[in-house]
Amino acid sequence: MRIVRFCVPAALLLAAASCSSEKPGAEKEPPEVSDASSARVRRLTRVEYDNSLAAVVPGMPSLSGTFAPEDTILGFSTHDRLQVTSLLADQMDNAAQNAAIYARSQLKVHDKCPADANEEKCTTEFFFTVASKAFRRPLTDDDKAALVDFWRETRKTADPQTAHQIFLQGLFSSASFLYRTELGAPGEGANQVVRLTPYEVASAISYAITAAPPDAELLAAADADALKTADQREAQARRLMATPAAQKRLAHFIREWLGITGLANLNKNNQVFPAFSAAFKDSSQSETRAFIDHVIANEGGSVKELLSADYTFADGRMSAFYGTTSTPNGVIGRVPLPADRAGILTEASVLATYALFDSSSPIRRGKFVLTRLMCRTVPPPPASIVIIPPAPAADSTTRARFAAHTNNPTCATCHRTLDPIGFGFENFDGLGKSRTMENGIKVDASGSVEHSSGTFSFTGGAELARFLATSEDVANCVPLQVFRYAMGRDEDTFDEPVLADMRAAFKANPRLQLGDAFVSLVRSPYFVNRRTLSP
């Protein structure tokens, strides 16, 4: 059946911005803070889009795979500046058509509401329930009126089953589905700090922790206005943290935080790295996924364990690459790491990501540690500086080539901080293979890192990884990265109290468990208050 493209009614397109579904007669709560981030409307990410469809119609296949790639800000794709380009709009329209086809076959509205005198009442009441799930809140009277009008217009020119499909496509194309609001109750004046509605709070908690809409229990709490207090929100957050969806969300956070989401596209020069192949790439990706999943499921999402574990989860290929024992049958499983490795920073997938096509890269590895793990800002090089890395040479080491290349006085300000960190990883080549010699010359893997209490000198990536696992700088940085990921924006001066609380909660457990940072954020009044937009 050919699906006709159509325009969503203006009432539905405006629903996300004009209605936040405060319960009728509900007393407005005063704000808990004197300043807050701006009210906003956030587009669903691809993962959130698929999860939101599946919450409306269980079993819905993933449809976002055809969407244009999402850009990142500060390393995260969850930011609030995601746009809908004309290309993405077409892709979303096609996805809504496919979702409507699947939903119609599963919901079978034509069996429940036959074409008789009661068809309109039966159909619209059925679709009210579907729309409430799609919009993640109770429908207002205006919503219902718009939906009834939409049904009547559709039914004028279409048979019941086609009308059902077009109607469902309208729901999945509507702004109230594609966006989630953080506006507070309507009717507030401009430039005022207001509390989010209970349903906005429920969505904010759920999407932050599970990348999915609120489940029945969380919606029931919103309906009972039982998300007011920090303890109420924490109870819901901790309940959700125990779900498989939250574990997937934490794994996604770790991959974006560490900048290793592009492993499938990794490419290396086979002449320089003969071990590199499609099979090697698959094995290294599987290792990293399995290790992250283990840390989340069995170590409480411990950042200390993530950075300093003396084991990994490798198959026979990766075990041989590391020079360690393999599982009895060579399938992926827990194996000990050699002494020169520790945690995820010394896994081949990470080391190869922060390297060049044909060599290692002290600069990339140093910048990775500074920006991702210590939250330091590294300014871009001056426009007048040539940033092409030095070409490999058969009579020199990578360290010697880069040290000479970055010895320019103009570069020294940044590189005297970056390079000593990266040089400490020189006991690993550009694929992550351990080495003591390069081009017949002994490798110098001594390095140092400046931190809040001084300078730490080390030799080799493992020694640095073990230091970072207990570093105050890392313990302060990770909550900030969680904040950026979950809130979808940069931090501001008024966020210092919530960041202080998140850091305190995170560091209270010496294992540095990620869930504590997420829960502390959800407890904060800054999580549930926004400043209305200026006129």
Side-chain angles (χ1 to χ4, degrees):
M1 180 183 299
R2 181 175 180 270
I3 305 300
V4 180
R5 291 170 63 92
F6 66 98
C7 294
V8 182
L12 292 181
L13 284 171
L14 295 174
S18 64
C19 176
S20 53
S21 253
E22 185 66 68
K23 296 168 69 174
E27 184 177 344
K28 292 184 175 66
E29 292 290 324
E32 300 175 80
V33 293
S34 60
D35 202 356
S37 59
S38 296
R40 59 185 177 172
V41 177
R42 298 178 63 178
R43 200 204 90 195
L44 298 180
T45 67
R46 288 182 293 182
V47 172
E48 292 168 348
Y49 177 90
D50 284 336
N51 290 341
S52 299
L53 279 177
V56 179
V57 185
M60 178 77 71
S62 173
L63 296 173
S64 70
T66 60
F67 291 177
E70 292 160 343
D71 63 341
T72 61
I73 294 179
L74 297 174
F76 299 119
S77 63
T78 52
H79 60 85
D80 61 1
R81 284 171 270 181
L82 293 172
Q83 301 296 314
V84 177
T85 63
S86 57
L87 172 61
L88 182 59
D90 287 341
Q91 293 167 336
M92 285 184 162
D93 184 62
N94 290 333
Q97 290 180 3
N98 292 328
I101 293 170
Y102 181 86
R104 188 193 68 176
S105 69
Q106 297 298 305
L107 299 175
K108 301 186 184 303
V109 188
H110 53 279
D111 291 341
K112 301 177 178 67
C113 300
D116 57 23
N118 295 318
E119 177 195 350
E120 180 180 293
K121 183 175 185 299
C122 176
T123 302
T124 53
E125 287 183 353
F126 182 89
F127 278 134
F128 288 163
T129 301
V130 177
S132 182
K133 291 181 180 179
F135 298 172
R136 302 172 288 274
R137 57 172 173 76
L139 300 183
T140 65
D141 290 341
D142 287 344
D143 289 328
K144 292 178 180 180
L147 290 171
V148 169
D149 288 345
F150 183 29
W151 170 254
R152 288 173 178 169
E153 288 300 312
T154 302
R155 189 66 176 87
K156 285 179 181 178
T157 57
D159 61 82
Q161 290 200 43
T162 301
H164 298 157
Q165 189 166 307
I166 294 174
F167 191 94
L168 287 164
Q169 184 179 343
L171 293 183
F172 299 141
S173 299
S174 71
S176 288
F177 173 75
L178 296 173
Y179 293 83
R180 52 191 179 99
T181 67
E182 296 176 3
L183 302 173
E188 298 285 354
N191 201 30
Q192 300 293 317
V193 175
V194 298
R195 289 176 60 94
L196 300 181
T197 71
Y199 301 102
E200 289 176 330
V201 173
S203 282
I205 293 172
S206 189
Y207 280 107
I209 294 175
T210 69
D215 61 10
E217 186 170 339
L218 189 50
L219 283 174
D223 196 53
D225 206 10
L227 297 173
K228 284 183 179 179
T229 69
D231 288 346
Q232 288 172 329
R233 296 193 297 274
E234 176 176 350
Q236 292 293 335
R238 291 203 178 277
R239 177 182 66 82
L240 291 175
M241 289 296 300
T243 64
Q247 294 185 5
K248 288 180 64 176
R249 185 65 159 174
L250 278 182
H252 183 258
F253 163 73
I254 291 172
R255 290 194 299 271
E256 291 211 327
W257 164 41
L258 298 182
I260 52 174
T261 56
L263 295 177
N265 300 319
L266 195 65
N267 197 17
K268 295 291 176 180
N269 186 331
N270 290 99
Q271 300 299 313
V272 179
F273 306 115
F276 182 75
S277 65
F280 178 90
K281 189 161 60 174
D282 289 344
S283 290
S284 63
Q285 288 183 78
S286 297
E287 175 199 4
T288 297
R289 283 196 300 267
F291 178 68
I292 290 173
D293 289 346
H294 166 81
V295 169
I296 292 170
N298 300 290
E299 302 294 341
S302 166
V303 171
K304 183 177 181 181
E305 190 76 5
L306 187 76
L307 297 180
S308 65
D310 60 1
Y311 59 87
T312 188
F313 285 77
D315 61 13
R317 179 177 292 102
M318 296 310 300
S319 295
F321 184 77
Y322 292 151
T324 188
T325 56
S326 177
T327 58
N329 54 5
V331 299
I332 193 166
R334 180 166 172 160
V335 299
L337 283 175
D340 65 347
R341 296 183 190 268
I344 197 168
L345 300 189
T346 60
E347 289 186 3
S349 60
V350 176
L351 291 166
T353 294
Y354 294 100
L356 301 174
F357 175 67
D358 54 4
S359 73
S360 62
S361 176
I363 295 175
R364 288 189 180 184
R365 289 171 177 175
K367 182 179 179 182
F368 161 64
V369 170
L370 278 180
T371 59
R372 303 279 183 166
L373 297 172
M374 304 180 79
C375 292
R376 307 267 185 87
T377 300
V378 177
S384 59
I385 297 298
V386 177
I387 59 174
I388 299 174
D395 60 350
S396 180
T397 64
T398 303
R399 181 179 186 131
R401 290 185 293 108
F402 273 83
H405 181 69
T406 58
N407 203 29
N408 185 319
T410 309
C411 306
T413 300
C414 288
H415 283 281
R416 69 185 175 202
T417 303
L418 279 174
D419 293 2
I421 301 172
F423 288 150
F425 282 100
E426 277 300 286
N427 59 321
F428 302 110
D429 68 14
L431 193 58
K433 182 77 171 176
S434 296
R435 63 183 177 184
T436 57
M437 305 289 290
E438 183 183 7
N439 295 327
I441 305 170
K442 186 177 180 180
V443 166
D444 179 2
S446 62
S448 63
V449 58
E450 296 177 6
H451 57 95
S452 56
S453 300
T455 300
F456 175 73
S457 298
F458 63 94
T459 300
E463 190 175 357
L464 174 61
R466 295 185 188 104
F467 167 76
L468 293 172
T470 59
S471 164
E472 184 79 3
D473 295 67
V474 173
N476 285 328
C477 176
V478 174
L480 175 58
Q481 301 287 27
V482 168
F483 176 93
R484 291 168 172 173
Y485 179 82
M487 295 297 285
R489 63 175 177 84
D490 304 358
E491 63 279 9
D492 208 330
T493 53
F494 52 74
D495 294 313
E496 284 306 316
V498 63
L499 288 171
D501 289 344
M502 291 175 68
R503 286 166 175 148
F506 184 61
K507 290 186 283 188
N509 185 330
R511 291 175 56 76
L512 303 178
Q513 293 178 314
L514 288 170
D516 292 334
F518 277 90
V519 170
S520 180
L521 173 62
V522 168
R523 286 184 58 88
S524 173
Y526 293 88
F527 188 76
V528 296
N529 286 273
R530 297 291 182 272
R531 179 172 290 280
T532 58
L533 301 177
S534 300

